[in-house]
Amino acid sequence: MKISNRLYTPGAALFIWQLFLSMNFLSMNGFSQTAPVDVGPASSSPTSSSWPTADGTFIQSGLVAHWDDRQWQRELQALKGLGMHYIILAPVLNTGPGNVSTTLYPSGLPGVRQEYPSDLVDNCLRNAEKAGFKVFLGLNLNERWWAADFSADWLYGQMETGNKVADELVKKYKKRYRNAFYGWYWVWEVDNLHTKTENVQDALAKALNINLDHLHLLTPSMPFMLCPFMNFRVGTAREYQQMWTHVFARAHFKPGDIFAPQDGIGAGGLQLDKIQEWYTALKEAVCTKPGLLFWSDAETFDQRFWTIAPLDRFIQQMELVRPYVSNIISFAYSHYYSPFKVNRGYHEAYLKYVRTGALPVLPVPDPVDSLNIRSDDGRIPAVAWQAPLQTSGIAGFYIFRDGVLVGNNQYSKEGQCKTSYTEQRGLPPGIYRYAVCSYTFTGLVSERKERDWQLAPAGTAAGKDGFIHNGVIAHRGAWKNHGVSENSIGSLKNAIMLGCEGSEFDVWMSADSGVIISHDPVIGGKRIETTSSAELEKVALLNNDFVPTLQQYLNIIKTQHRTRLFLEIKSSLISQERSLALTDRVVRMVRESGARDWVDYISFNYGVLSRIKELDPEAGTAYLTGDKKVEELESGNGSNVDYPFYSFHADTALTRNAHHAGLSVNVWTVDSREEMQFLLKQGVDRITTNEPEMLLDMLHKSN
């Protein structure tokens, strides 16, 4: 039977406990570390119920292992100032690798040892009793749970162990701490992957009942709470609702017990825009169990980098679940926002929110300075920057690669922050845009500073003429895998950044003789040959691009000396005269722009190629149609071979014959590895492809 495992990171709940307890979580620079902390009035509670607030927090053993009563009291008073009432301490017995069991209290159970010299359960309950807090104690957890490779009988045995732990806890602490020792927490976190069948759901209900029946008899007034989680990638909200409805029908929950799912925002199981769907479904399930309370467990971390969540996200999480739940706890305020663990700005900003319903208004932070990128080995980039001069209120820095967040550096408690980011592994050949911005603890971000870094593939060393000669021609630019339009400014820049030998594109002539880049004769619903350039240039493409002109391409290509243009002149649908007029205009523009070294010409129109040779005898030209033999090309205008891939299957001597005639050979359009391999074995000079990354990768691996 398989019941639980955090799917978005295997064993993540366990790792959460292990990792964040040992981490010295972070403070923002620019604040005094010794200034007194405003924790709110000793008897404070939220001043209004018109906005959601957290009513409790998990406190894990690693955080409090060495706390004395003074540290406990200052933490609890800070939480009390926020209107919190609940503490969850769990598990009090943990069985780890090698079946080694440790407890947070002196236990008489066989085969267990106390993990810390101090009785952490007594410390927690004693101080909670004094401060007026209610404590949920988590019973036992066996880390084999995360492997999800156990039998139902094994799980039932674990529940019996939990009952023995409960017996000890009641005997040791209940009479002394009647008010503080308030409830039970079921540490076994259930997910929506391993509970899809009714057999597993029935086993889960039976396991719950082993604890529920015993605890309700042992402590009838104490509520029982569990915090399952969900991952939208492995199931639907409706399926999870049906699963819990089935379990609730069989589990012996009593009125006052608490179902408090983790909202999954920190660990990635849910996204903010999915909360409504999932909490609606779970509320329907809870409503099938009369008296069962529905709470939410708000995650205050970002598991991608094990960092603190900005406060605006935490508040949004609570706002989104509020219509469905009657209370909210946090995982975990004391670990991520405590004024005694991280910079007090987090706590003071949240305290203001608790009192007023709004975070403090802060200025947008200044951007970083001097962003640069280097690579010692040429494959692993290291990004570095300088923090802005004014760092007050800045919590850290976000690092992006090609618009995707890849790093999050936060200020330490001592006011230090790493201002660099190094990739963990080498990247594929290509051009990457890195960006860095600063951000505040309330979630405000600065302007991004950006810089490009290029990793050239093998075989992209420049020839004697300074240009790349790797035979990779990006068909209509590099667009397919980059979220940009074909024949766009973006696709041209991507081809250059990838290190392609050439970027192929197509031109037409507009009604007013402008040279417009497009493959098709109609773009944006406008027929190019009968529309003005001004109108055509307004047509929007992907990624904030617009239909480009030849002049724009020429301006861009001359900014570098590696990639060249393979310019296809389209045949006019109106007349051959217009085709030749376009040819005249194109060749003149190339010459006047000083771009002759950067441009080769291709066309399906043999007459166009002949005109080019008349205008510029040194120009490189290639014929696309594939209906002429090598001898005809050699004796004609001298254009090179640029034929479709199937021509090389029909005539396997085509490449050899062309080379014997002194003609270069290009092939279009090739998008599969098998076809690329076939043509490379044929010895072709260039391959035009919509997958330049694939061809570059093949060339890199072959060298």
Side-chain angles (χ1 to χ4, degrees):
M1 181 183 77
K2 293 183 177 181
I3 291 187
S4 182
N5 194 7
R6 272 193 184 273
L7 308 176
Y8 25 94
T9 298
L14 174 62
F15 293 136
I16 289 171
W17 298 342
Q18 292 175 334
L19 289 177
F20 77 52
L21 301 183
S22 62
M23 294 177 67
N24 181 16
F25 274 111
L26 313 167
S27 66
M28 297 172 300
N29 196 12
F31 290 89
S32 168
Q33 300 298 317
T34 59
V37 173
D38 180 4
V39 299
S43 60
S44 172
S45 62
T47 58
S48 172
S49 60
S50 61
W51 49 87
T53 58
D55 199 16
T57 179
F58 283 79
I59 294 185
Q60 300 297 326
S61 59
L63 177 66
V64 302
H66 305 291
W67 278 9
D68 56 23
D69 285 355
R70 180 189 64 84
Q71 291 169 297
W72 267 105
Q73 286 302 313
R74 71 174 186 175
E75 179 70 21
L76 294 178
Q77 290 305 318
L79 299 176
K80 194 171 186 179
L82 300 171
M84 292 192 188
H85 299 91
Y86 300 101
I87 296 296
I88 303 96
L89 179 68
V92 300
L93 185 153
N94 186 78
T95 303
N99 215 33
V100 175
S101 296
T102 58
T103 60
L104 303 185
Y105 68 100
S107 171
L109 296 177
V112 304
R113 62 177 176 82
Q114 189 170 335
E115 185 171 4
Y116 302 101
S118 181
D119 182 345
L120 300 192
V121 173
D122 188 80
N123 291 348
C124 177
L125 292 172
R126 181 178 68 255
N127 282 282
E129 187 86 11
K130 180 178 180 180
F133 270 81
K134 301 173 182 178
V135 178
F136 288 84
L137 291 180
L139 297 174
N140 61 312
L141 177 71
N142 190 309
E143 293 176 17
R144 186 179 173 186
W145 170 261
W146 307 117
D149 63 351
F150 46 81
S151 68
D153 287 339
W154 176 88
L155 183 60
Y156 302 152
Q158 296 298 313
M159 300 302 104
E160 295 293 354
T161 299
N163 288 342
K164 294 175 183 177
V165 171
D167 290 342
E168 279 196 327
L169 294 174
V170 169
K171 183 177 181 180
K172 285 178 175 292
Y173 307 111
K174 185 59 179 174
K175 288 184 179 179
R176 284 189 288 159
Y177 308 118
R178 291 185 179 277
N179 296 317
F181 192 174
Y182 176 78
W184 302 106
Y185 174 64
W186 203 63
V187 188
W188 311 81
E189 298 179 18
V190 179
D191 64 32
N192 63 321
L193 174 63
H194 300 111
T195 54
K196 292 183 179 293
T197 68
E198 289 191 356
N199 287 340
V200 172
Q201 294 164 16
D202 289 342
L204 173 61
K206 182 175 179 179
L208 279 164
N209 287 338
I210 292 172
N211 281 160
L212 286 168
D213 292 346
H214 184 81
L215 296 174
H216 290 163
L217 182 64
L218 180 67
T219 53
S221 64
M222 290 175 57
F224 176 99
M225 180 169 66
L226 72 161
C227 297
F229 64 93
M230 48 274 189
N231 185 345
F232 73 91
R233 300 169 186 85
V234 300
T236 68
R238 190 58 56 193
E239 290 170 343
Y240 208 33
Q241 173 205 337
Q242 293 168 349
M243 170 260 172
W244 279 112
T245 298
H246 184 92
V247 172
F248 290 155
R250 290 155 180 78
H252 302 159
F253 291 103
K254 64 176 176 59
D257 286 340
I258 302 161
F259 181 74
Q262 303 162 47
D263 67 15
I265 301 303
L270 287 188
Q271 297 168 349
L272 290 170
D273 61 359
K274 298 184 183 297
I275 281 183
Q276 180 179 6
E277 175 189 7
W278 284 78
Y279 273 72
T280 297
L282 289 176
K283 185 170 181 64
E284 291 180 16
V286 171
C287 287
T288 67
K289 194 70 175 179
L292 182 63
L293 302 181
F294 189 21
W295 291 12
S296 183
D297 181 5
E299 296 177 339
T300 58
F301 55 90
D302 184 340
Q303 188 175 324
R304 292 173 296 180
F305 315 106
W306 295 108
T307 48
I308 304 168
L311 286 169
D312 61 341
R313 196 204 78 182
F314 176 47
I315 290 170
Q316 189 175 3
Q317 292 167 238
M318 294 191 291
E319 289 173 339
L320 288 169
V321 302
R322 190 188 186 196
Y324 310 98
V325 302
S326 59
N327 207 356
I328 299 169
I329 54 176
S330 68
F331 197 100
Y333 192 96
S334 287
H335 291 270
Y336 293 93
Y337 297 139
S338 169
F340 310 109
K341 186 160 181 59
V342 302
N343 188 278
R344 72 176 189 273
Y346 283 103
H347 178 80
E348 291 180 352
Y350 181 69
L351 180 61
K352 181 179 187 302
Y353 164 78
V354 169
R355 291 171 171 171
T356 68
L359 288 170
V361 178
L362 297 177
V364 174
D366 292 337
V368 303
D369 294 321
S370 304
L371 180 65
N372 63 81
I373 305 172
R374 63 175 179 81
S375 177
D376 293 335
D377 63 359
R379 298 200 61 79
I380 300 179
V383 184
W385 61 92
Q386 290 183 2
L389 294 177
Q390 176 55 260
T391 60
S392 178
I394 294 180
F397 306 98
Y398 292 134
I399 304 97
F400 302 85
R401 185 201 324 119
D402 293 338
V404 177
L405 183 66
V406 294
N408 183 359
N409 294 359
Q410 293 188 324
Y411 276 98
S412 69
K413 185 177 181 181
E414 293 72 31
Q416 303 298 314
C417 185
K418 187 177 181 181
T419 54
S420 64
Y421 168 82
T422 301
E423 294 284 2
Q424 297 302 304
R425 57 184 63 87
L427 299 172
I431 184 160
Y432 300 91
R433 174 158 294 180
Y434 286 91
V436 178
C437 68
S438 53
Y439 67 92
T440 69
F441 49 86
T442 57
L444 295 175
V445 297
S446 74
E447 169 194 353
R448 296 185 188 182
K449 288 297 181 70
E450 299 181 341
R451 192 175 185 89
D452 290 340
W453 181 78
Q454 181 173 352
L455 172 60
T460 58
K464 292 181 179 180
D465 59 1
F467 291 104
I468 294 170
H469 295 283
N470 57 17
V472 180
I473 311 300
H475 187 229
R476 307 174 196 170
W479 56 274
K480 186 176 180 181
N481 302 311
H482 297 272
V484 299
S485 297
E486 61 184 37
N487 280 332
S488 65
I489 297 295
S491 69
L492 171 60
K493 289 182 176 180
N494 289 336
I496 295 171
M497 289 187 291
L498 285 174
C500 297
E501 176 173 337
S503 184
E504 185 269 353
F505 66 103
D506 315 87
V507 297
W508 297 82
M509 190 164 68
S510 66
D512 54 354
S513 299
V515 183
I516 300 298
I517 296 176
S518 172
H519 175 267
D520 297 335
V522 176
I523 189 164
K526 302 178 186 296
R527 185 169 295 278
I528 295 174
E529 293 195 88
T530 58
T531 306
S532 70
S533 297
E535 285 299 310
L536 293 167
E537 291 175 43
K538 295 177 182 177
V539 175
L541 304 178
L542 296 176
N543 201 35
N544 298 317
D545 263 346
F546 293 87
V547 170
T549 65
L550 175 59
Q551 191 60 60
Q552 288 176 295
Y553 261 41
L554 295 176
N555 293 342
I556 291 170
I557 204 66
K558 287 189 62 185
T559 63
Q560 50 83 59
H561 206 281
R562 292 165 55 81
T563 300
R564 300 176 72 244
L565 295 176
F566 285 72
L567 190 163
E568 180 182 342
I569 297 178
K570 306 298 284 188
S571 294
S572 170
L573 301 182
I574 298 175
S575 68
Q576 178 69 353
E577 287 72 24
R578 275 187 64 85
S579 299
L580 298 178
L582 170 60
T583 304
D584 294 346
R585 188 165 184 79
V586 166
V587 174
R588 183 170 65 253
M589 289 178 65
V590 171
R591 182 174 60 249
E592 291 176 351
S593 297
R596 291 176 67 245
D597 290 343
W598 281 265
V599 178
D600 269 11
Y601 301 94
I602 58 177
S603 184
F604 287 90
N605 190 323
Y606 195 74
V608 162
L609 298 175
S610 297
R611 176 64 69 90
I612 293 170
K613 286 295 190 180
E614 294 174 8
L615 298 170
D616 185 357
E618 300 301 318
T621 59
Y623 183 52
L624 295 169
T625 305
D627 59 352
K628 293 185 181 296
K629 295 184 180 300
V630 168
E631 294 80 7
E632 295 179 78
L633 294 175
E634 182 184 13
S635 62
N637 60 33
S639 290
N640 294 301
V641 173
D642 195 344
Y643 284 1
F645 68 90
Y646 48 80
S647 298
F648 297 83
H649 291 273
D651 181 1
T652 56
L654 178 56
T655 301
R656 183 174 63 253
N657 292 338
H659 285 163
H660 285 167
L663 303 179
S664 67
V665 178
N666 187 33
V667 191
W668 58 271
T669 298
V670 184
D671 292 338
S672 73
R673 287 183 180 272
E674 295 74 17
E675 191 65 34
M676 290 175 183
Q677 290 170 347
F678 169 79
L679 292 165
L680 290 172
K681 289 179 180 179
Q682 292 275 313
V684 302
D685 300 296
R686 304 182 187 96
I687 295 176
T688 298
T689 175
N690 292 311
E691 301 281 357
E693 301 86 357
M694 181 190 299
L695 182 53
L696 287 166
D697 179 65
M698 290 176 60
L699 294 172
H700 170 69
K701 290 178 179 177
S702 67
N703 289 336

